[in-house]
Amino acid sequence: MGSSYWRNGPVLNNAISGVDEALWDIKGKLANMPVYDLLGGKCRQGAAVYRHVDGATPEEVENNVRKYMEQGYRYVRCQQGVYGGNMTMGGNMLGSAGKQFHLTENPPIGAYFDPKQYMKNTYKLFDHLRSSLGFEIELLHDVHERLAPIDAVRFAKEMEQYRLFFLEDILAPEQIGWFKMVRSQSATPIAMGELFNNPLEWEGLVTGRMIDFIRIHISQIGGITPARKVAALCEPFGVRTAWHGPNDITPAGVAAHLHLDLATSNFGIQEFVGFTEQEKEVFPGCPEVRDGYLYPNDKPGLGIDIDEEAAKKYPCTYHENRWLWARLPDGTSVRA
Ligand code: CO
């Protein structure tokens, strides 16, 4: 693991998190208590979750939202073209990108997006969603830090009319100095934090009341132990938790979220992408969603196991170009 003198790096923090979450699990088993009881006990029976929908057109996004509404979900994150571009997971995109964007000569292969076009498309998307679905359903949106800071300020203002549950990652972590301007100009609820490693990245945003939801990726900061301290810091400042829950987190990681969600009074919402049948096979004890709430199984510890024999059936495979870095129309590579 190296010396923790060089601290706050994501690799070290993720390694520490593996140990930290295992220790909470072991302590819970020794005490014969679920981790949520070790953390002080349940504040709620289940954690409300939000699901992701995407679509090529506003109508397709609307239909996909309706499918989740029929299953009892009340919070849905809506994107058009993933993060607002011509985005696919690999392959030569130039055929379709060339039609959509004004590219340079000899454009490099990649997934292209145009920030200005993305903004216009997103206003149209939410116009459509609110006029067709009304304001009862809670809608969320993730910018994925794809705007210039001053455009992000304007975007938050324009999106205010659609009454989002939250707007996520409107700025890159390097641009957190701009949150003050976003905050002063709109009441759109702001969610931030999935790339944070170091407490100095969130302390000022929380104590300055610049954000409404903290979205830290809990293994990225070292696991349940530091995450509960983040939640405690947030509580007096009215900031709620919305731990980052993408599909590259194992069900054990999802269980860690859920125990924190249940035991944290200032819990806000949990991002949730569901489990595959293979995940359920390898990780017996997966939490279950019923009517839009995620429930643990109430066994001691995190309540989830790893079936190593079952895992052997699914060896790791390398996905070439799984995630291409995005490009602006002139071919510039960007991180988001
Ligand atoms: Co995100």
Side-chain angles (χ1 to χ4, degrees):
M1 198 180 284
S3 166
S4 55
Y5 176 69
W6 283 278
R7 56 198 174 271
N8 292 324
V11 176
L12 177 65
N13 280 355
N14 272 285
I16 290 171
S17 168
V19 176
D20 177 84
E21 293 180 10
L23 289 173
W24 280 98
D25 186 49
I26 292 164
K27 185 66 91 176
K29 284 173 175 153
L30 287 172
N32 201 27
M33 293 164 94
V35 168
Y36 60 71
D37 275 336
L38 295 185
L39 294 170
K42 281 183 186 171
C43 301
R44 55 193 63 77
Q45 295 301 313
V49 297
Y50 72 87
R51 300 299 305 249
H52 296 175
V53 311
D54 203 331
T57 63
E59 290 73 22
E60 197 180 320
V61 176
E62 177 204 337
N63 288 337
N64 291 335
V65 174
R66 288 190 190 280
K67 284 180 202 155
Y68 278 126
M69 290 169 74
E70 280 161 21
Q71 294 170 45
Y73 292 101
R74 296 168 306 287
Y75 303 83
V76 185
R77 191 193 80 169
C78 300
Q79 311 290 130
Q80 190 179 321
V82 193
Y83 296 117
N86 195 334
M87 193 75 185
T88 64
M89 305 290 181
N92 185 338
M93 287 296 302
L94 290 179
S96 50
K99 284 177 210 137
Q100 194 177 335
F101 302 122
H102 197 88
L103 305 179
T104 61
E105 295 168 3
N106 303 317
I109 289 170
Y112 284 76
F113 78 104
D114 178 337
K116 297 283 185 185
Q117 192 61 48
Y118 155 71
M119 289 168 78
K120 284 182 225 157
N121 289 349
T122 309
Y123 303 145
K124 278 189 207 146
L125 170 65
F126 280 87
D127 263 338
H128 176 82
L129 293 176
R130 281 312 188 195
S131 59
S132 57
L133 299 168
F135 283 83
E136 198 69 29
I137 178 83
E138 295 283 5
L139 300 179
L140 302 77
H141 182 70
D142 185 357
V143 175
H144 219 259
E145 36 173 314
R146 290 197 159 188
L147 297 174
I150 192 62
D151 287 338
V153 176
R154 186 155 57 88
F155 189 72
K157 280 165 71 169
E158 298 272 4
M159 292 299 285
E160 194 174 24
Q161 62 189 302
Y162 305 117
R163 289 183 238 160
L164 295 180
F165 184 73
F166 69 53
L167 183 60
E168 173 183 344
D169 285 355
I170 191 166
L171 294 163
E174 299 82 2
Q175 300 293 352
I176 57 176
W178 285 79
F179 272 110
K180 199 172 177 189
M181 199 176 292
V182 172
R183 201 56 158 175
S184 65
Q185 298 203 29
S186 87
T188 295
I190 299 294
M192 181 68 189
E194 69 186 50
L195 294 177
F196 288 167
N197 302 299
N198 182 324
L200 291 178
E201 291 172 299
W202 61 81
E203 271 179 22
L205 291 181
V206 170
T207 60
R209 300 178 175 86
M210 297 293 166
I211 60 171
D212 302 278
F213 295 89
I214 188 80
R215 276 186 52 66
I216 281 170
H217 189 99
I218 67 174
S219 66
Q220 183 95 350
I221 62 164
I224 293 172
T225 303
R228 66 196 284 254
K229 293 175 189 172
V230 172
L233 171 74
C234 288
E235 187 176 358
F237 295 98
V239 177
R240 287 169 278 169
T241 64
W243 308 119
H244 186 224
N247 60 7
D248 52 4
I249 287 182
T250 67
V254 175
H257 290 153
L258 180 55
H259 285 265
L260 279 165
D261 295 340
L262 297 183
T264 300
S265 57
N266 52 317
F267 162 74
I269 190 79
Q270 181 58 58
E271 181 178 32
F272 181 66
V273 296
F275 299 117
T276 63
E277 289 309 312
Q278 292 93 326
E279 282 176 315
K280 288 185 202 165
E281 183 189 355
V282 175
F283 294 91
C286 279
E288 283 178 21
V289 170
R290 295 188 291 278
D291 202 28
Y293 288 106
L294 191 60
Y295 294 92
N297 57 29
D298 301 315
K299 288 190 183 139
L302 290 171
I304 194 155
D305 215 337
I306 299 174
D307 182 335
E308 292 181 27
E309 283 308 306
K312 283 181 189 164
K313 287 198 269 175
Y314 310 104
C316 287
T317 49
Y318 175 66
H319 292 269
E320 198 175 356
N321 283 340
R322 185 184 168 275
W323 184 271
L324 284 173
W325 280 17
R327 293 188 186 277
L328 296 175
D330 68 0
T332 307
S333 172
V334 294
R335 288 164 299 189

